[in-house]
Amino acid sequence: MWRTPGAPARERAGTVSPTGTLRIAVDLLGGDGAPAVVVDGALYACRADPDLELLLVGPPDIAGEVRAALPAGHQHRVAVRPAPRAAATADGPVRGGRAGTSIQAAVAAVAEGAADAVISAGPSGAIVTAAALGLGRWPTMRRPALVAVLPAVTGPVVLLDVGASVEARPATLAQHGLLGAAYAAVRLGLRRPRVGLLSIGVEPGKGDRARRSADTLLQTSALPAAGRYVGLVEGHDVTLGGRADVVVTDGFTGNVLLKGIEGAYAMAGGPEPGRIAPRAAMLLGVAGAVVVCHGAASGADLAAGIALAATLHRDQVTATVAGMLDDSTRPLADQDEVSP
Amino acid sequence: MWRTPGAPARERAGTVSPTGTLRIAVDLLGGDGAPAVVVDGALYACRADPDLELLLVGPPDIAGEVRAALPAGHQHRVAVRPAPRAAATADGPVRGGRAGTSIQAAVAAVAEGAADAVISAGPSGAIVTAAALGLGRWPTMRRPALVAVLPAVTGPVVLLDVGASVEARPATLAQHGLLGAAYAAVRLGLRRPRVGLLSIGVEPGKGDRARRSADTLLQTSALPAAGRYVGLVEGHDVTLGGRADVVVTDGFTGNVLLKGIEGAYAMAGGPEPGRIAPRAAMLLGVAGAVVVCHGAASGADLAAGIALAATLHRDQVTATVAGMLDDSTRPLADQDEVSP
């Protein structure tokens, strides 16, 4: 059952409940279709995984609808934490991530040990702020990154950052390259993951000033998991794969590219049956499992995001990745930022 | 027939040969598959359009192969201008665009009046430099833009810049918004084209500093062709359409996005039969018709690019767009650049 807020906080990263249950805090008010699509997603997720327990954060009457829709023997799996209002995009990241919004309350549930992971389809800036403030950042990581995994011909491609920060900074790009290598090793089981830096051509020197500086930093960085930096890659390498397992870019370019690819697959009917472009990304660089869904997420997307949050906690992804990174990212944490 | 270099230069923009022929200078040495795919493209193009004449710029023996492959009555349609070497990416934009490369020689043919338009699949930086030096920039346009037209559900979407410059500058973004509106009106026949600024969300304030400044500039700019600025748009608006007819971004983001979309369509088999993502873009902002093909262009792509170059000249697109823009872009040409 759910702990009350007064109970001692359990270790946030890397512990699995002795009963095998996974407790996911769900922001009922995040996303363009909230709360209806979040309700749908919560119901799908409960039916798909009997080990899931959901802490629905938002209006209690909406949470009650979810509970009422479940069979009697499963209603105990849904609890509620009241939160009166959503983080509106107009709030901006700072007010949206503080100020008693449903995002802030959902993150607080993880911070207090009342949930194992959190998911929201609200404004990503507000989620990043709430998570950084509520859970704390990894000590040597300059900025958190939103990480998406895309299907490609040759296997999955890890793309980051897809929207946690918007200005391209060389040392942040380099740190995110290391982060992506660790994530690919832990989550996808890749040995010696290949990391590429997204640019407008593969020849050395292609791209803007931030890319040229980041390229130099990555060439001289030790990558975790025996990862290899393969140099510059291009937009089609994200969709086709083959050249790199991890593609690193700034959050502006990554967000635009991810949405453009999603749109192309929507136009064309998907990369192939059974493979879909992701509408849920993981936030890495904060001390907890945080999943961010696309604002236009459907109920099925929310359910996939809830399942991702459960997997991240079950496999202790956050803690393992953080443990792999501490030493290798420290030199870049101290790196003077080169102006892009 | 082809003029000799010593003949008086004809008006570069907007004139059509009295015989109805269109003379396209083709860089034989540009692109990953050159010269073989350029030879293929030249042959396709000659067969498809009997009004075309080609000035092949590069090794005379390669040009001779093209001529020999045409029926005897058509061999006069192919002429050659010797150029010993390609612009290698390692040259960088400045050396690649000068220094007697095939790109520079092909642009010079247009400048001298020996050709009506030019096409190359060489490094885009070298082509932009060669065109700006050889043909001259439009007086009030800060930087040229590479313009691509993509298929979308609701009709074509004009995307610019897709690689002519790499740093995002607010006044350049705003000027390119005006340029895109004029191009959409002239080339696609759109009335009151809607211009959107690519960002990571549609709400005001979303994006980086360059985007926020450009948004303000576009809100206060008079768009040509009674165009309307519709504010921020996202990556999927480029592929799905509906929100804007013209999407403006910096050349780094636009290049990455275009290649990512191309890769997604390659994965998925295209947006729908008969529609293809473009592999040829037009360079606007210089005094002549210049088409840039993807470095990995196939012979069919080259042929499509040659046909595009012919259309641009036949329809006097460059001169008409330039004429629509002069007054509206002048305030932005004088605008102090806001540091991104």
Side-chain angles (χ1 to χ4, degrees), chain A residues 89 153 166-167 169 198 200 203 206 208-209 211 234-236 239-240 252 255-256 259-260 263-265 267-268 270-271, chain B residues 89 153 166-167 169 198 200 203 206 208-209 211 234-236 239 252 255-256 259-260 263-265 267-268 270-271:
Chain A
T89 300
V153 174
V166 294
E167 307 286 348
R169 306 281 181 200
L198 189 61
I200 60 172
E203 304 84 3
K206 282 276 187 179
D208 57 7
R209 278 174 286 171
R211 256 39 73 155
E234 298 178 270
H236 47 79
T239 30
L240 299 175
F252 184 90
N255 185 282
V256 164
K259 289 175 178 168
Y265 285 148
M267 279 278 283
Chain B
T89 301
V153 175
V166 293
E167 307 286 348
R169 307 279 181 200
L198 189 61
I200 62 173
E203 304 84 2
K206 283 275 187 179
D208 58 7
R209 278 173 286 170
R211 258 36 75 154
E234 298 178 90
H236 47 79
T239 29
F252 185 89
N255 186 280
V256 164
K259 289 175 178 167
Y265 285 148
M267 280 277 283

CSV table of all heavy atoms in Angstrom, one decimal, chain A residues 89 153 166-167 169 198 200 203 206 208-209 211 234-236 239-240 252 255-256 259-260 263-265 267-268 270-271, chain B residues 89 153 166-167 169 198 200 203 206 208-209 211 234-236 239 252 255-256 259-260 263-265 267-268 270-271:
chain,number,residue,atom,x,y,z
A,89,THR,N,1.7,25.9,-19.5
A,89,THR,CA,2.9,26.3,-20.2
A,89,THR,C,3.2,27.8,-19.9
A,89,THR,O,4.4,28.2,-19.8
A,89,THR,CB,2.8,26.1,-21.7
A,89,THR,OG1,2.5,24.7,-21.9
A,89,THR,CG2,4.0,26.5,-22.5
A,153,VAL,N,16.9,0.8,-38.6
A,153,VAL,CA,17.1,-0.4,-39.4
A,153,VAL,C,17.9,-1.4,-38.6
A,153,VAL,O,17.6,-2.6,-38.6
A,153,VAL,CB,17.7,-0.1,-40.8
A,153,VAL,CG1,18.0,-1.4,-41.5
A,153,VAL,CG2,16.8,0.8,-41.6
A,166,VAL,N,17.7,24.1,-24.0
A,166,VAL,CA,17.5,24.6,-25.3
A,166,VAL,C,18.8,25.3,-25.9
A,166,VAL,O,18.8,25.4,-27.2
A,166,VAL,CB,16.3,25.6,-25.4
A,166,VAL,CG1,15.0,24.9,-25.1
A,166,VAL,CG2,16.5,26.8,-24.5
A,167,GLU,N,19.7,25.7,-25.1
A,167,GLU,CA,20.9,26.3,-25.7
A,167,GLU,C,22.0,25.3,-25.8
A,167,GLU,O,22.2,24.4,-24.9
A,167,GLU,CB,21.4,27.5,-24.8
A,167,GLU,CG,20.3,28.5,-24.5
A,167,GLU,CD,20.0,29.4,-25.6
A,167,GLU,OE1,20.7,29.5,-26.6
A,167,GLU,OE2,19.0,30.2,-25.5
A,169,ARG,N,25.5,24.0,-25.5
A,169,ARG,CA,26.8,24.2,-24.8
A,169,ARG,C,27.7,23.1,-25.0
A,169,ARG,O,27.3,21.9,-24.8
A,169,ARG,CB,26.5,24.4,-23.3
A,169,ARG,CG,25.4,25.4,-23.0
A,169,ARG,CD,26.0,26.8,-23.0
A,169,ARG,NE,24.9,27.7,-22.7
A,169,ARG,CZ,24.9,29.0,-23.0
A,169,ARG,NH1,25.9,29.5,-23.7
A,169,ARG,NH2,24.0,29.8,-22.6
A,198,LEU,N,25.5,14.9,-33.4
A,198,LEU,CA,24.7,15.3,-34.6
A,198,LEU,C,25.2,16.6,-35.2
A,198,LEU,O,25.3,17.6,-34.5
A,198,LEU,CB,23.2,15.4,-34.1
A,198,LEU,CG,22.2,15.6,-35.2
A,198,LEU,CD1,22.1,14.4,-36.1
A,198,LEU,CD2,20.8,15.8,-34.5
A,200,ILE,N,25.7,18.7,-39.5
A,200,ILE,CA,25.2,18.8,-40.8
A,200,ILE,C,26.0,18.1,-41.9
A,200,ILE,O,25.9,18.4,-43.1
A,200,ILE,CB,24.9,20.3,-41.2
A,200,ILE,CG1,26.3,21.1,-41.2
A,200,ILE,CG2,23.9,20.9,-40.2
A,200,ILE,CD1,26.1,22.5,-41.7
A,203,GLU,N,32.1,15.2,-42.0
A,203,GLU,CA,33.5,15.6,-42.1
A,203,GLU,C,33.9,16.5,-40.9
A,203,GLU,O,33.1,17.3,-40.5
A,203,GLU,CB,33.9,16.3,-43.4
A,203,GLU,CG,33.5,15.5,-44.6
A,203,GLU,CD,32.0,15.6,-45.0
A,203,GLU,OE1,31.3,16.4,-44.4
A,203,GLU,OE2,31.6,15.0,-46.0
A,206,LYS,N,32.5,20.2,-39.6
A,206,LYS,CA,31.1,20.6,-40.1
A,206,LYS,C,30.3,21.0,-38.9
A,206,LYS,O,30.3,20.4,-37.8
A,206,LYS,CB,30.5,19.3,-40.7
A,206,LYS,CG,30.9,19.1,-42.1
A,206,LYS,CD,30.1,19.9,-43.1
A,206,LYS,CE,30.4,19.5,-44.5
A,206,LYS,NZ,29.6,20.2,-45.5
A,208,ASP,N,28.2,24.1,-36.3
A,208,ASP,CA,28.4,25.4,-35.8
A,208,ASP,C,29.5,25.4,-34.7
A,208,ASP,O,30.1,24.4,-34.5
A,208,ASP,CB,27.1,26.0,-35.2
A,208,ASP,CG,26.5,25.0,-34.1
A,208,ASP,OD1,27.2,24.0,-33.8
A,208,ASP,OD2,25.4,25.2,-33.6
A,209,ARG,N,29.7,26.5,-34.1
A,209,ARG,CA,30.9,26.6,-33.1
A,209,ARG,C,30.7,25.7,-32.0
A,209,ARG,O,31.7,25.0,-31.5
A,209,ARG,CB,31.0,28.1,-32.6
A,209,ARG,CG,31.7,29.0,-33.6
A,209,ARG,CD,31.7,30.4,-33.1
A,209,ARG,NE,30.4,31.0,-33.3
A,209,ARG,CZ,30.0,32.2,-32.8
A,209,ARG,NH1,30.8,32.9,-32.1
A,209,ARG,NH2,28.8,32.7,-33.1
A,211,ARG,N,29.3,22.8,-31.9
A,211,ARG,CA,29.5,21.4,-32.3
A,211,ARG,C,31.0,21.2,-32.5
A,211,ARG,O,31.6,20.2,-32.1
A,211,ARG,CB,28.9,21.2,-33.7
A,211,ARG,CG,27.6,20.3,-33.7
A,211,ARG,CD,26.6,20.5,-32.6
A,211,ARG,NE,25.9,21.7,-32.6
A,211,ARG,CZ,24.6,21.9,-32.1
A,211,ARG,NH1,24.1,20.9,-31.5
A,211,ARG,NH2,24.0,23.0,-32.2
A,234,GLU,N,24.7,12.6,-39.0
A,234,GLU,CA,23.7,13.4,-39.6
A,234,GLU,C,22.3,13.0,-39.3
A,234,GLU,O,22.1,11.9,-38.6
A,234,GLU,CB,23.9,13.4,-41.2
A,234,GLU,CG,25.2,13.9,-41.6
A,234,GLU,CD,25.4,13.9,-43.1
A,234,GLU,OE1,25.9,12.8,-43.6
A,234,GLU,OE2,25.1,14.8,-43.8
A,235,GLY,N,21.3,13.8,-39.7
A,235,GLY,CA,19.9,13.5,-39.3
A,235,GLY,C,19.4,12.2,-39.7
A,235,GLY,O,18.7,11.5,-38.9
A,236,HIS,N,19.8,11.7,-40.8
A,236,HIS,CA,19.3,10.4,-41.3
A,236,HIS,C,19.9,9.2,-40.5
A,236,HIS,O,19.4,8.1,-40.5
A,236,HIS,CB,19.5,10.2,-42.8
A,236,HIS,CG,20.9,10.5,-43.3
A,236,HIS,ND1,21.9,9.7,-43.1
A,236,HIS,CD2,21.3,11.7,-43.9
A,236,HIS,CE1,23.0,10.3,-43.6
A,236,HIS,NE2,22.7,11.5,-44.1
A,239,THR,N,17.5,8.0,-37.9
A,239,THR,CA,16.3,7.2,-38.3
A,239,THR,C,16.8,5.9,-38.9
A,239,THR,O,16.2,4.9,-38.8
A,239,THR,CB,15.5,8.0,-39.4
A,239,THR,OG1,16.3,8.9,-40.1
A,239,THR,CG2,14.4,8.7,-38.6
A,240,LEU,N,17.9,5.9,-39.6
A,240,LEU,CA,18.4,4.7,-40.3
A,240,LEU,C,19.3,3.9,-39.4
A,240,LEU,O,19.4,2.7,-39.6
A,240,LEU,CB,19.1,5.0,-41.6
A,240,LEU,CG,18.2,5.7,-42.7
A,240,LEU,CD1,19.0,6.1,-43.9
A,240,LEU,CD2,17.0,4.9,-43.0
A,252,PHE,N,17.1,21.7,-28.2
A,252,PHE,CA,16.3,22.4,-29.2
A,252,PHE,C,16.3,21.5,-30.5
A,252,PHE,O,15.3,21.1,-31.0
A,252,PHE,CB,16.9,23.8,-29.6
A,252,PHE,CG,16.1,24.5,-30.5
A,252,PHE,CD1,15.0,25.4,-30.1
A,252,PHE,CD2,16.3,24.4,-31.9
A,252,PHE,CE1,14.2,26.0,-31.0
A,252,PHE,CE2,15.5,25.1,-32.8
A,252,PHE,CZ,14.5,25.9,-32.3
A,255,ASN,N,14.6,18.0,-30.0
A,255,ASN,CA,13.2,18.1,-29.9
A,255,ASN,C,12.5,18.3,-31.3
A,255,ASN,O,11.6,17.6,-31.6
A,255,ASN,CB,12.8,19.3,-28.9
A,255,ASN,CG,11.3,19.3,-28.7
A,255,ASN,OD1,10.6,19.8,-29.5
A,255,ASN,ND2,10.9,18.8,-27.5
A,256,VAL,N,13.1,19.2,-32.0
A,256,VAL,CA,12.6,19.5,-33.4
A,256,VAL,C,12.7,18.2,-34.2
A,256,VAL,O,11.8,17.8,-34.9
A,256,VAL,CB,13.4,20.6,-34.0
A,256,VAL,CG1,13.2,20.7,-35.5
A,256,VAL,CG2,13.0,22.0,-33.4
A,259,LYS,N,10.2,15.3,-33.2
A,259,LYS,CA,8.9,15.6,-33.6
A,259,LYS,C,8.7,15.5,-35.1
A,259,LYS,O,7.7,15.1,-35.6
A,259,LYS,CB,8.4,17.0,-33.1
A,259,LYS,CG,8.2,17.0,-31.6
A,259,LYS,CD,7.9,18.4,-31.1
A,259,LYS,CE,7.6,18.4,-29.6
A,259,LYS,NZ,7.6,19.8,-29.0
A,260,GLY,N,9.8,15.9,-35.8
A,260,GLY,CA,9.8,15.8,-37.3
A,260,GLY,C,9.7,14.4,-37.7
A,260,GLY,O,9.0,14.0,-38.6
A,263,GLY,N,6.3,13.0,-37.0
A,263,GLY,CA,5.4,13.4,-38.1
A,263,GLY,C,5.6,12.6,-39.4
A,263,GLY,O,4.6,12.3,-40.0
A,264,ALA,N,6.8,12.4,-39.7
A,264,ALA,CA,7.1,11.6,-40.9
A,264,ALA,C,6.5,10.2,-40.8
A,264,ALA,O,5.9,9.7,-41.8
A,264,ALA,CB,8.6,11.6,-41.2
A,265,TYR,N,6.7,9.6,-39.7
A,265,TYR,CA,6.1,8.2,-39.5
A,265,TYR,C,4.6,8.3,-39.5
A,265,TYR,O,3.9,7.3,-40.0
A,265,TYR,CB,6.7,7.6,-38.2
A,265,TYR,CG,8.1,7.1,-38.3
A,265,TYR,CD1,9.0,7.1,-37.2
A,265,TYR,CD2,8.6,6.6,-39.5
A,265,TYR,CE1,10.3,6.7,-37.4
A,265,TYR,CE2,9.9,6.2,-39.7
A,265,TYR,CZ,10.7,6.3,-38.6
A,265,TYR,OH,12.0,5.8,-38.7
A,267,MET,N,2.8,10.3,-41.2
A,267,MET,CA,2.5,10.5,-42.6
A,267,MET,C,2.6,9.1,-43.3
A,267,MET,O,1.8,8.8,-44.2
A,267,MET,CB,3.5,11.4,-43.3
A,267,MET,CG,3.3,12.9,-43.1
A,267,MET,SD,2.0,13.5,-44.3
A,267,MET,CE,3.0,13.6,-45.8
A,268,ALA,N,3.6,8.3,-43.0
A,268,ALA,CA,3.9,7.2,-43.8
A,268,ALA,C,3.4,5.9,-43.2
A,268,ALA,O,3.6,4.8,-43.7
A,268,ALA,CB,5.4,7.1,-44.0
A,270,GLY,N,4.4,4.6,-40.0
A,270,GLY,CA,5.3,4.0,-39.1
A,270,GLY,C,6.5,3.3,-39.8
A,270,GLY,O,6.4,3.1,-41.0
A,271,PRO,N,7.6,3.1,-39.1
A,271,PRO,CA,8.8,2.5,-39.7
A,271,PRO,C,8.5,1.1,-40.2
A,271,PRO,O,8.9,0.7,-41.3
A,271,PRO,CB,9.8,2.5,-38.6
A,271,PRO,CG,9.1,2.8,-37.4
A,271,PRO,CD,7.8,3.4,-37.7
B,89,THR,N,35.2,18.6,-49.4
B,89,THR,CA,34.7,19.1,-48.2
B,89,THR,C,35.8,19.7,-47.4
B,89,THR,O,35.7,20.7,-46.6
B,89,THR,CB,33.9,18.1,-47.4
B,89,THR,OG1,32.8,17.6,-48.2
B,89,THR,CG2,33.3,18.6,-46.1
B,153,VAL,N,0.5,16.5,-45.5
B,153,VAL,CA,-0.9,16.0,-45.7
B,153,VAL,C,-1.7,17.1,-46.5
B,153,VAL,O,-2.5,16.8,-47.4
B,153,VAL,CB,-1.5,15.7,-44.4
B,153,VAL,CG1,-3.0,15.3,-44.6
B,153,VAL,CG2,-0.8,14.6,-43.7
B,166,VAL,N,24.9,28.2,-40.5
B,166,VAL,CA,24.8,27.3,-39.4
B,166,VAL,C,24.5,27.9,-38.0
B,166,VAL,O,24.0,27.3,-37.1
B,166,VAL,CB,26.0,26.4,-39.2
B,166,VAL,CG1,26.1,25.5,-40.4
B,166,VAL,CG2,27.3,27.2,-39.0
B,167,GLU,N,24.7,29.2,-37.8
B,167,GLU,CA,24.4,29.9,-36.6
B,167,GLU,C,23.1,30.5,-36.6
B,167,GLU,O,22.8,31.2,-37.6
B,167,GLU,CB,25.5,30.9,-36.2
B,167,GLU,CG,27.0,30.4,-36.3
B,167,GLU,CD,27.3,29.5,-35.1
B,167,GLU,OE1,26.6,29.4,-34.1
B,167,GLU,OE2,28.4,28.8,-35.2
B,169,ARG,N,20.7,33.4,-36.1
B,169,ARG,CA,20.7,34.8,-35.8
B,169,ARG,C,19.2,35.3,-36.0
B,169,ARG,O,18.6,35.1,-37.0
B,169,ARG,CB,21.6,35.5,-36.8
B,169,ARG,CG,23.0,35.0,-36.9
B,169,ARG,CD,23.8,35.5,-35.8
B,169,ARG,NE,25.2,35.0,-35.9
B,169,ARG,CZ,26.0,35.0,-34.9
B,169,ARG,NH1,25.7,35.4,-33.7
B,169,ARG,NH2,27.3,34.5,-35.1
B,198,LEU,N,10.1,27.7,-36.5
B,198,LEU,CA,10.3,26.4,-35.9
B,198,LEU,C,10.8,26.5,-34.5
B,198,LEU,O,11.8,27.1,-34.2
B,198,LEU,CB,11.2,25.6,-36.7
B,198,LEU,CG,11.4,24.1,-36.4
B,198,LEU,CD1,10.1,23.3,-36.6
B,198,LEU,CD2,12.4,23.4,-37.3
B,200,ILE,N,10.3,24.5,-30.1
B,200,ILE,CA,10.1,23.2,-29.4
B,200,ILE,C,8.7,23.2,-28.7
B,200,ILE,O,8.4,22.4,-27.9
B,200,ILE,CB,11.2,23.0,-28.4
B,200,ILE,CG1,11.2,24.1,-27.3
B,200,ILE,CG2,12.5,22.9,-29.1
B,200,ILE,CD1,12.2,23.8,-26.2
B,203,GLU,N,3.6,27.6,-27.8
B,203,GLU,CA,3.3,28.7,-26.9
B,203,GLU,C,4.4,29.8,-27.0
B,203,GLU,O,5.6,29.5,-27.0
B,203,GLU,CB,3.1,28.3,-25.5
B,203,GLU,CG,2.1,27.1,-25.3
B,203,GLU,CD,2.7,25.7,-25.6
B,203,GLU,OE1,4.0,25.7,-25.9
B,203,GLU,OE2,2.0,24.8,-25.5
B,206,LYS,N,8.5,29.8,-26.1
B,206,LYS,CA,9.2,28.5,-26.2
B,206,LYS,C,10.4,28.6,-27.1
B,206,LYS,O,10.4,29.3,-28.1
B,206,LYS,CB,8.2,27.5,-26.8
B,206,LYS,CG,7.2,27.0,-25.9
B,206,LYS,CD,7.7,25.8,-25.1
B,206,LYS,CE,6.6,25.2,-24.2
B,206,LYS,NZ,7.1,24.0,-23.5
B,208,ASP,N,14.9,28.9,-27.7
B,208,ASP,CA,16.1,29.5,-27.2
B,208,ASP,C,16.0,31.0,-27.4
B,208,ASP,O,15.0,31.5,-27.9
B,208,ASP,CB,17.3,28.9,-27.9
B,208,ASP,CG,17.3,29.0,-29.4
B,208,ASP,OD1,16.4,29.6,-30.0
B,208,ASP,OD2,18.2,28.4,-30.1
B,209,ARG,N,17.1,31.7,-27.1
B,209,ARG,CA,17.1,33.1,-27.1
B,209,ARG,C,16.9,33.6,-28.6
B,209,ARG,O,16.2,34.6,-28.8
B,209,ARG,CB,18.4,33.7,-26.5
B,209,ARG,CG,18.3,33.8,-25.0
B,209,ARG,CD,19.7,34.2,-24.5
B,209,ARG,NE,20.6,33.0,-24.5
B,209,ARG,CZ,22.0,33.1,-24.3
B,209,ARG,NH1,22.5,34.3,-24.0
B,209,ARG,NH2,22.7,32.1,-24.4
B,211,ARG,N,15.3,32.3,-31.0
B,211,ARG,CA,13.9,32.1,-31.4
B,211,ARG,C,13.1,33.2,-30.8
B,211,ARG,O,12.2,33.7,-31.4
B,211,ARG,CB,13.4,30.7,-31.0
B,211,ARG,CG,13.3,29.7,-32.1
B,211,ARG,CD,14.4,29.6,-33.1
B,211,ARG,NE,15.6,29.1,-32.7
B,211,ARG,CZ,16.5,28.4,-33.5
B,211,ARG,NH1,16.3,28.3,-34.8
B,211,ARG,NH2,17.7,28.0,-33.0
B,234,GLU,N,6.1,23.4,-34.6
B,234,GLU,CA,7.0,22.3,-34.1
B,234,GLU,C,7.5,21.4,-35.3
B,234,GLU,O,7.0,21.5,-36.4
B,234,GLU,CB,6.3,21.5,-33.1
B,234,GLU,CG,5.9,22.4,-31.9
B,234,GLU,CD,5.1,21.6,-30.8
B,234,GLU,OE1,5.7,21.0,-30.0
B,234,GLU,OE2,3.8,21.5,-31.0
B,235,GLY,N,8.3,20.4,-34.9
B,235,GLY,CA,8.9,19.6,-36.0
B,235,GLY,C,7.9,18.8,-36.8
B,235,GLY,O,8.0,18.7,-38.0
B,236,HIS,N,6.8,18.4,-36.1
B,236,HIS,CA,5.8,17.6,-36.9
B,236,HIS,C,5.0,18.5,-37.8
B,236,HIS,O,4.3,18.0,-38.7
B,236,HIS,CB,4.9,16.8,-35.9
B,236,HIS,CG,4.4,17.6,-34.8
B,236,HIS,ND1,3.3,18.5,-34.9
B,236,HIS,CD2,4.8,17.7,-33.5
B,236,HIS,CE1,3.1,19.1,-33.7
B,236,HIS,NE2,4.0,18.6,-32.9
B,239,THR,N,6.3,18.0,-41.3
B,239,THR,CA,5.9,16.8,-42.1
B,239,THR,C,4.4,16.7,-42.3
B,239,THR,O,3.9,16.2,-43.3
B,239,THR,CB,6.4,15.6,-41.3
B,239,THR,OG1,6.5,15.8,-39.9
B,239,THR,CG2,7.8,15.2,-41.8
B,252,PHE,N,21.4,25.0,-39.4
B,252,PHE,CA,21.8,23.8,-38.7
B,252,PHE,C,20.6,22.9,-38.4
B,252,PHE,O,20.5,21.7,-38.8
B,252,PHE,CB,22.5,24.1,-37.4
B,252,PHE,CG,23.1,22.9,-36.6
B,252,PHE,CD1,24.4,22.5,-36.9
B,252,PHE,CD2,22.3,22.3,-35.7
B,252,PHE,CE1,24.8,21.4,-36.2
B,252,PHE,CE2,22.8,21.2,-35.1
B,252,PHE,CZ,24.1,20.7,-35.3
B,255,ASN,N,18.8,21.6,-41.6
B,255,ASN,CA,19.6,20.5,-42.3
B,255,ASN,C,19.4,19.2,-41.6
B,255,ASN,O,19.1,18.1,-42.2
B,255,ASN,CB,21.1,20.9,-42.4
B,255,ASN,CG,21.9,19.9,-43.2
B,255,ASN,OD1,22.2,18.8,-42.6
B,255,ASN,ND2,22.2,20.2,-44.4
B,256,VAL,N,19.5,19.2,-40.2
B,256,VAL,CA,19.3,18.0,-39.4
B,256,VAL,C,17.9,17.5,-39.6
B,256,VAL,O,17.7,16.3,-39.8
B,256,VAL,CB,19.6,18.3,-37.9
B,256,VAL,CG1,19.1,17.2,-37.0
B,256,VAL,CG2,21.1,18.5,-37.7
B,259,LYS,N,17.2,15.9,-43.1
B,259,LYS,CA,17.9,14.6,-43.3
B,259,LYS,C,17.2,13.6,-42.4
B,259,LYS,O,17.1,12.4,-42.8
B,259,LYS,CB,19.4,14.7,-43.0
B,259,LYS,CG,20.1,15.5,-44.1
B,259,LYS,CD,21.6,15.6,-43.7
B,259,LYS,CE,22.4,16.4,-44.8
B,259,LYS,NZ,23.7,16.8,-44.3
B,260,GLY,N,16.7,14.0,-41.2
B,260,GLY,CA,16.0,13.0,-40.3
B,260,GLY,C,14.7,12.6,-41.0
B,260,GLY,O,14.3,11.4,-40.9
B,263,GLY,N,15.4,10.3,-43.8
B,263,GLY,CA,15.7,8.9,-43.3
B,263,GLY,C,14.4,8.2,-42.8
B,263,GLY,O,14.3,7.0,-43.0
B,264,ALA,N,13.5,8.9,-42.2
B,264,ALA,CA,12.2,8.3,-41.7
B,264,ALA,C,11.4,7.8,-42.9
B,264,ALA,O,10.9,6.7,-42.9
B,264,ALA,CB,11.4,9.3,-40.9
B,265,TYR,N,11.4,8.6,-44.0
B,265,TYR,CA,10.7,8.2,-45.2
B,265,TYR,C,11.3,7.0,-45.8
B,265,TYR,O,10.7,6.1,-46.4
B,265,TYR,CB,10.5,9.3,-46.2
B,265,TYR,CG,9.4,10.3,-45.8
B,265,TYR,CD1,9.6,11.7,-46.1
B,265,TYR,CD2,8.3,9.9,-45.0
B,265,TYR,CE1,8.6,12.6,-45.7
B,265,TYR,CE2,7.4,10.8,-44.6
B,265,TYR,CZ,7.5,12.2,-45.0
B,265,TYR,OH,6.6,13.1,-44.6
B,267,MET,N,13.0,4.7,-44.2
B,267,MET,CA,12.6,3.6,-43.4
B,267,MET,C,11.2,3.1,-43.7
B,267,MET,O,10.9,1.9,-43.6
B,267,MET,CB,12.6,4.0,-41.9
B,267,MET,CG,13.9,4.1,-41.2
B,267,MET,SD,14.5,2.5,-40.6
B,267,MET,CE,13.4,2.4,-39.1
B,268,ALA,N,10.3,4.0,-43.9
B,268,ALA,CA,8.9,3.7,-44.0
B,268,ALA,C,8.4,3.6,-45.4
B,268,ALA,O,7.2,3.3,-45.6
B,268,ALA,CB,8.1,4.8,-43.2
B,270,GLY,N,8.4,6.1,-47.8
B,270,GLY,CA,7.8,7.4,-48.4
B,270,GLY,C,6.5,7.8,-47.8
B,270,GLY,O,5.8,6.9,-47.3
B,271,PRO,N,6.2,9.1,-47.9
B,271,PRO,CA,4.9,9.5,-47.4
B,271,PRO,C,3.7,8.9,-48.0
B,271,PRO,O,2.8,8.5,-47.3
B,271,PRO,CB,5.0,11.0,-47.6
B,271,PRO,CG,6.0,11.3,-48.6
B,271,PRO,CD,7.0,10.1,-48.6
